[in-house]
Each structure stands twice: as structure tokens, then as C-alpha cells.
């Protein structure tokens, strides 16, 4: 009997794989999310049966209206795609040039003034909250219809994104080189030049290419409000029900964005 009791007492203690109450917490969160989906479906009348009923309409629209594309419209599409690319390239370049110095003001390990630091961060947060299409409408009203308004809208929008990404990268760098430059009597500009820039240049280039991808896609949408690029002729052809031309625009836009994404992804992989 004593041996049995000893063996029984020495049995290993079982610990639960998940903390107590964790399953109830996850279940409650999932039920809340499901409830929000159901509420959204009732509010927007987006029921699955309506989607299923619309599938044949979408199929016949693609087969009968969009096909075949009008390849004779290709030269006009190519010129608009070139304008779209130029808009994205110029806006990304301007945003990258402006965001690099401003990002140091939004990094807590460079900008030691807490009030100034928070003010700069709030300004960049404000830029990111304004949709690019709203910015395009504003600039179209200011400078008129055309690519210039699109470039300005994308520049402001990209500035907020790049400044946030770069400033967070600066805050996460190794502080050793910074302290070494400061200890040797270096000023703020020397700390940035010799302590920060060598550490963030690969990420800076990678983020800039990523924003370029975003701007190429966004510039297509901005054309719908008159901000230049391929979106202008897409809207025109849709309004005139020239669906064969619309098919050409969609195909060439998809092909162009896919190539840009592939090239940009390869370059970013090499940089990282």
C-alpha cells in the first residue's frame, strides 16, 4: 500500500495547453465578429442569394460584351498607361525625397523634443487618413483636370505612408553607432549621416518601391475624377458603352501592373 500511494503521488501533473478561460475568450470574439457580419449583411442587403443570382449576369457580360477586345484601340491605351506610369513615378520620387528628411523628425531616437515629435507624428497620421481620391478631387479643383493634379494627390498620400514606415525603421535601428557618433562629439547631422543612413538605406529603397506599386494602382482610380492617366479614358469608354475598348483597357492595365509588381518584388527581395 505505501508503494502504491507513493506511485500515485508521483504521477506527473497535467497542465492545460491553453490558459484557463482562453477558449471562452476566443469563442466570444468569434461570435461577436460573426454577429457584426450578419448585421452588416442586413444593413447593406448583401445576402449570398443576391450574389449567386448575379453570377450569370456577370458571366454573360464578360462573354458577350467585353469579348473580344478591340486591339485597334491599343495605341490610345498605351499612351494613357504611359501617363499613368509617369504619374506614379513622379509622385513616388517627390514623396521619397520629402519623406526622408521629415522621417527623422518623427523618430523618437533622433527628435528628442517630445512635443515636436508628437506634433510631427500627428501630422503624418492626418495625411494617411485622407483617401487619395479625396486629395485628387481637391487638387483637380485647384489646378484643373490632368496629370498634375494626380501627381500632387499621390505625392501627399505617399508622403504620409513613407514617413511612417521610414520613421519606424529609424526607431528600430541599432543604437550603438548613434551613441558612438554622439560620444565622439558628433552633431545631429553627423549622427544621421554616419549612424542612421547606412542602416536604413536598404529599407528606404524597398519601401519606396512598394509605394510605387501602390501609386501605379491608385493612379488608375484617380483618373475617374479627372486626375489623369488611364482612368480618364476608362470612364469615357464606360459612359459610351464601348465595352470592347473597355476590355482592351482592362487587359493592358492588368498586364502592366502585373509586370511592375513582379519587377518591383524581385528588386525588393534583393535589397532585403
Amino acid at each position: 500500500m505505501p508503494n502504491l500511494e507513493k506511485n500515485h503521488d508521483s504521477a506527473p501533473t497535467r497542465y492545460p495547453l491553453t490558459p484557463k478561460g482562453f477558449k471562452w475568450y476566443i469563442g466570444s470574439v468569434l461570435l461577436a465578429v460573426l454577429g457584426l457580419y450578419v448585421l452588416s449583411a442586413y444593413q447593406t442587403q448583401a445576402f449570398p442569394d443576391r450574389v449567386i443570382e448575379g453570377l450569370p449576369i456577370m458571366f454573360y457580360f464578360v462573354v458577350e460584351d467585353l469579348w473580344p477586345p478591340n486591339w485597334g484601340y491599343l495605341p490610345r491605351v498605351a499612351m494613357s498607361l504611359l501617363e499613368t506610369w509617369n504619374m506614379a513615378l513622379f509622385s513616388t520620387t517627390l514623396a521619397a525625397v520629402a519623406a526622408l528628411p521629415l522621417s527623422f523628425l518623427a523618430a523618437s531616437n533622433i527628435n528628442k523634443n517630445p512635443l515636436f515629435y508628437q506634433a510631427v507624428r500627428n501630422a503624418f497620421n492626418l495625411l494617411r487618413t485622407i483617401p487619395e481620391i479625396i486629395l485628387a478631387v481637391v487638387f483637380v479643383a485647384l489646378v484643373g483636370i490632368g496629370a498634375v493634379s494626380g501627381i500632387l494627390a499621390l505625392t501627399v498620400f505617399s508622403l504620409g505612408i513613407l514617413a511612417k514606415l521610414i520613421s519606424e525603421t529609424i526607431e528600430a535601428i541599432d543604437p550603438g553607432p548613434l551613441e558612438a557618433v554622439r560620444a565622439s562629439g558628433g552633431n545631429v547631422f553627423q549622427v544621421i549621416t554616419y549612424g542612421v543612413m547606412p542602416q536604413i538605406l536598404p529599407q528606404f529603397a524597398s519601401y519606396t518601391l512598394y509605394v510605387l506599386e501602390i501609386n501605379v494602382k491608385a493612379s488608375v482610380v484617380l483618373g475617374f475624377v479627372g486626375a489623369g492617366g488611364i482612368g480618364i479614358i476608362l470612364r469615357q469608354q464606360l459612359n459610351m458603352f464601348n465595352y470592347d475598348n473597355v476590355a482592351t483597357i482592362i487587359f493592358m492595365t492588368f498586364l502592366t501592373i502585373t509586370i511592375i509588381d513582379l519587377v518591383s518584388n524581385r528588386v525588393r527581395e534583393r535589397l532585403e
Side-chain angles (χ1 to χ4, degrees), residues 33-68:
V33 172
L34 181 61
L36 290 174
Y37 274 111
V38 173
L39 182 62
S40 301
Y42 274 99
Q43 183 68 27
T44 59
Q45 299 296 311
F47 298 111
D49 58 329
R50 296 188 62 185
V51 177
I52 295 173
E53 290 175 359
L55 288 177
I57 300 175
M58 296 171 58
F59 174 78
Y60 287 114
F61 173 71
V62 173
V63 172
E64 296 179 359
D65 295 330
L66 291 181
W67 188 263

Side-chain angles (χ1 to χ4, degrees), residues 123-143:
F124 288 145
N125 291 336
L126 178 63
L127 288 181
R128 290 197 309 276
T129 57
I130 305 175
E132 65 271 21
I133 195 166
I134 301 299
L135 293 171
V137 171
V138 172
F139 283 113
V140 165
L142 291 176
V143 302

